Amino acid sequence: MKATPLAMVMASALSLAACTTPSGPVEVTRFVAPDRVTELGSGPIFVESAPGGESDSLALAPYKAAVAEELRRLGYSESDRAGAGQIARVSLVRYVVGSGGKRSPVSVGVGVGGSTGSYGSGVGLGIGINLGGGAKDRLGTELSVAITDAASGTSLWEGRADFQPPEDSPLARGTANAQTVASALFREFPGNNGETIEVEVTE
């Protein structure tokens, strides 16, 4: 199949296999429609931004690319929307956890707002903050994906990955961050309905 723009973005992804320093776990929560499990993991699928997000955002592009790569690895084939049997909607929230544990939104060219499915309403991120603070600050990523049946809109699978590496970690932003959270999100796909797991990562 001809390479898509999303696939081309992933070509420069950093390899997690070369990482050696612990960077904290990715917390993953997943919901699966029990009677539709056999429909997951194969067939044509279209990856798009979730409603309420910035569909053309450059910040979201590496995350959509990472999700598309994971879906291909699982057995899906990427398709245009018209030919897709399933739709994967991607949303992203970026935030900072300060040394006191307070979570603040961030807008530094690396994140967009948006949330869908079982995880609540969308939240736009437009507050810029200084990331040059203490070493204990963590730069968080919350990646959510909802897979639905293209014809009926029925929810088949929903997942959320939450990762909070140190702000100065090479896994805190960009393609490496996108690959890390997407890989954790689809670990042992589709998982069990309602489960929350922790996936350890290193840098």
Side-chain angles (χ1 to χ4, degrees), residues 181-193:
V181 291
S183 176
L185 181 61
F186 290 100
R187 183 76 56 90
E188 298 180 356
F189 180 84
N192 299 312
N193 187 39

Side-chain angles (χ1 to χ4, degrees), residues 5 11 22 39 54 67 69 79 85 98 108 114 124 136 139 143 158 164 171 176 199:
E39 300 175 41
E54 300 178 27
V67 168
E69 180 66 21
S79 167
V108 290
K136 294 183 180 179
L139 186 55
L143 176 68
E158 294 181 28
Q164 301 176 6
L171 301 183
V199 178

Side-chain angles (χ1 to χ4, degrees), residues 22-47:
S23 189
V26 182
E27 185 178 275
V28 176
T29 303
R30 297 181 283 210
F31 296 91
V32 187
D35 57 337
R36 308 291 291 270
V37 173
T38 57
E39 300 175 41
L40 295 167
S42 64
I45 193 167
F46 179 69
V47 179

Side-chain angles (χ1 to χ4, degrees), residues 77-179:
S77 58
E78 197 174 356
S79 167
D80 59 21
R81 205 178 200 288
Q86 295 176 20
I87 307 294
R89 296 187 172 92
V90 181
S91 61
L92 176 70
V93 173
R94 297 281 275 162
Y95 60 92
V96 166
V97 179
S99 57
K102 183 179 179 180
R103 173 169 163 165
S104 304
V106 58
S107 178
V108 290
V110 296
V112 296
S115 177
T116 188
S118 301
Y119 303 116
S121 59
V123 179
L125 303 184
I127 301 174
I129 71 171
N130 181 9
L131 294 184
K136 294 183 180 179
D137 288 354
R138 291 182 170 270
L139 186 55
T141 302
E142 187 175 285
L143 176 68
S144 299
V145 178
I147 299 177
T148 62
D149 179 78
S152 66
T154 301
S155 178
L156 305 178
W157 183 91
E158 294 181 28
R160 178 185 63 191
D162 195 339
F163 184 39
Q164 301 176 6
E167 188 276 327
D168 58 355
S169 167
L171 301 183
R173 53 174 59 79
T175 303
N177 180 262
Q179 185 185 35

